[in-house]
Amino acid sequence: MPTQIVVAGAIIRRATVLVAQRVRPPELAGRWELPGGKVASGETERDALARELAEELGLEVGDVMVGDRLGHDIALDGMTLRAYRVRLLSGEPHARDHRAVRWVSAGELRDVDWVPADRGWVADLVRTLSTASS
C-alpha cells in the first residue's frame, strides 16, 4: 500500500528560511516546522506544495517557485515527508494555519524547537543557507 506523501517547503529569502509554529496537534503545538501538507490525488508534489503555501501562508501560487528537493525523504507513520527548496518571488508570508512564522538564519537553525520529523533536514538547511545570497 503506498504511503501518503507530505511535502514541505524550505522558503529561502537571502540567507534565511521561513519556519512556522504549529497550533495542533497538542503534542506538537508550539514547535516549529517547514510549512506544507499532503499531496492530494491527481496533484503533483510541486503543485501540492504551492497550494499548501497559499492556504497556510496567504501566498499566491505565483509568489513562489518550487525548486529542487532538499535532503532525503523522512518516513513517518505511513507517510513520506519530502522537502523542497522554495524561492519567494513576491508577497510576504503570514501565519494563517500556524501560531506564528519567522525567518531563521543558518546559525539559529539548531536552536529551533523543531517538530521531530523536520529536525532531519536541519543539516541540509544549514548547508543551503550557508550558500544562499538572494
Side-chain angles (χ1 to χ4, degrees), residues 61-102:
V61 172
D63 289 342
V64 296
M65 182 176 70
V66 179
D68 296 333
R69 295 270 310 276
L70 174 83
H72 297 288
D73 289 352
I74 297 173
L76 179 71
D77 301 329
M79 293 184 281
T80 298
L81 307 180
R82 190 166 287 159
Y84 286 87
R85 291 175 178 89
V86 177
R87 185 168 182 169
L88 183 62
L89 302 174
S90 60
E92 184 62 35
H94 57 276
R96 287 178 126 180
D97 201 36
H98 291 87
R99 184 175 298 160
V101 295
R102 71 179 202 195

